[in-house]
Every structure is written in structure tokens, then in C-alpha cells.
């Protein structure tokens, strides 16, 4: 299974929101700055995440995005699926038409792997990931760099 940029960036952006929960709405510019994801790409992803009821937007001054539910209730699988990223290891994306419209020899094997991957990602919430020591260390480094870049940019 290869997770595309869309799925990886959606998970990364949602982790960023989860890490900054309780600090008010987070702008996509902040996420973009910390995670080095283009703002226009984030806008596309967040339109899908909003449609899937994973995030909500807050308009006006001080606006941005917040998680719609607690990080303990949002699985990584939900995020990946919200941006239309299939969670499958099959060549045919689970359709069963891998070999000229028919199932190939290894279809069932890859289908079972897909089920395992889905179960794995369904069992991990945003909160599980952000509680990891390594993730906390990376987030702190990103926050420091982002603040430093802010100081340089705005004097």
C-alpha cells in the first residue's frame, strides 16, 4: 500500500490541529508554516475534512479551524478516507477487476492485507499519535522554528 501525498498531508495537518487544540482556531497559514505544506493544498484538503465533519471553520478575526470532535475520537483511518484516499493494498483498489476485469491470483491476499491496514489505522486516534514522546519533540521543534520565522518576517 502506498499512501499518497493527499493522505499523508491530511493526517499531518490534523495532527497539527490536535497538538494545538485549546489555543483557539488555528489558521491554515499556521499549519502551512509549521508543516511546510502549501496553503492552497491545505485549503483543498480542509474542504474535504470539513465535509466529512472532522473539522469546523471559525470565521472572522481570529478565525481558523478546530477539530469537530476530540482528538480521542478521530481515527487516522477516518482522516485518510475523508480525503478520498483508498486504504487498500490491491492493485485494483478492491474492485476485483485486477486482471482484465477478473480477480487476479493474489487479490484475496492483498485484500486481507488491506483489511488489516484499515483495522490498524482505525484503532489509532489523533490523540494516540500526539501523545508519543517523539511527536511531542518534533512539535516543539516546529513551534520554535515557526516562532523564529515569524520574528524574522515581521521584525
Amino acid at each position: 500500500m502506498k499512501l499518497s501525498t493527499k493522505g499523508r498531508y491530511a493526517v499531518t495537518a490534523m495532527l497539527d490541529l490536535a497538538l494545538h487544540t485549546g489555543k483557539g482556531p488555528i489558521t491554515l497559514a499556521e499549519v502551512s508554516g509549521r508543516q511546510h505544506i502549501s496553503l492552497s493544498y491545505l485549503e483543498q484538503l480542509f474542504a474535504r475534512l470539513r465535509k466529512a465533519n472532522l473539522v469546523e471553520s471559525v470565521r472572522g478575526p481570529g478565525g481558523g479551524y478546530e477539530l469537530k470532535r476530540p482528538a480521542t475520537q478521530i481515527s487516522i483511518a477516518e482522516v485518510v478516507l475523508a480525503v478520498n484516499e483508498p486504504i487498500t493494498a490491491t492493485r485494483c483498489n478492491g474492485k476485483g477487476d485486477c486482471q482484465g476485469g477478473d480477480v487476479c491470483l493474489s487479490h484475496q491476499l492483498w485484500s486481507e492485507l488491506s483489511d488489516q491496514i484499515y483495522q490498524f489505522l482505525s484503532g489509532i486516534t489523533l490523540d494516540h499519535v500526539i501523545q508519543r514522546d517523539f511527536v511531542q519533540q518534533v512539535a516543539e521543534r516546529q513551534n520554535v522554528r515557526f516562532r523564529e520565522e515569524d520574528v524574522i518576517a515581521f521584525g
Side-chain angles (χ1 to χ4, degrees), residues 28-103:
L28 293 184
E30 291 173 287
V31 176
S32 176
R34 282 189 293 264
Q35 303 309 326
H36 301 281
I37 303 170
S38 90
L39 187 56
S40 61
Y41 200 74
L42 282 171
E43 288 168 349
Q44 294 171 34
L45 292 175
F46 272 74
R48 292 178 180 188
L49 294 167
R50 192 173 56 245
K51 214 179 245 188
N53 288 315
L54 296 179
V55 297
E56 60 186 346
S57 62
V58 178
R59 298 195 179 277
Y65 284 90
E66 297 178 318
L67 297 177
K68 185 105 176 191
R69 301 189 313 252
T72 56
Q73 296 176 15
I74 300 173
S75 75
I76 301 301
E78 282 183 274
V79 175
V80 173
L81 293 172
V83 295
N84 298 327
E85 183 71 20
I87 299 177
T88 182
T90 62
R91 186 173 57 180
C92 63
N93 287 330
K95 296 176 190 157
D97 60 358
C98 2
Q99 193 170 44
D102 292 321
V103 176

Side-chain angles (χ1 to χ4, degrees), residues 2 13 31 58 69-70 74 78 84 100 104-105 107 110 124 130-131 137 146:
K2 184 174 185 237
V31 176
V58 178
R69 301 189 313 252
I74 300 173
E78 282 183 274
N84 298 327
C104 68
L105 283 174
H107 177 84
W110 303 129
I124 299 174
I130 66 171
Q131 294 304 321
Q137 292 167 8
F146 183 68

Side-chain angles (χ1 to χ4, degrees), residues 3 7 26 48 54 56 71 97 101 104 112-113 120 122 132 138:
L3 191 59
I26 305 298
R48 292 178 180 188
L54 296 179
E56 60 186 346
D97 60 358
C104 68
E112 290 170 11
L113 176 60
F120 174 74
S122 292
R132 296 176 179 174
V138 170

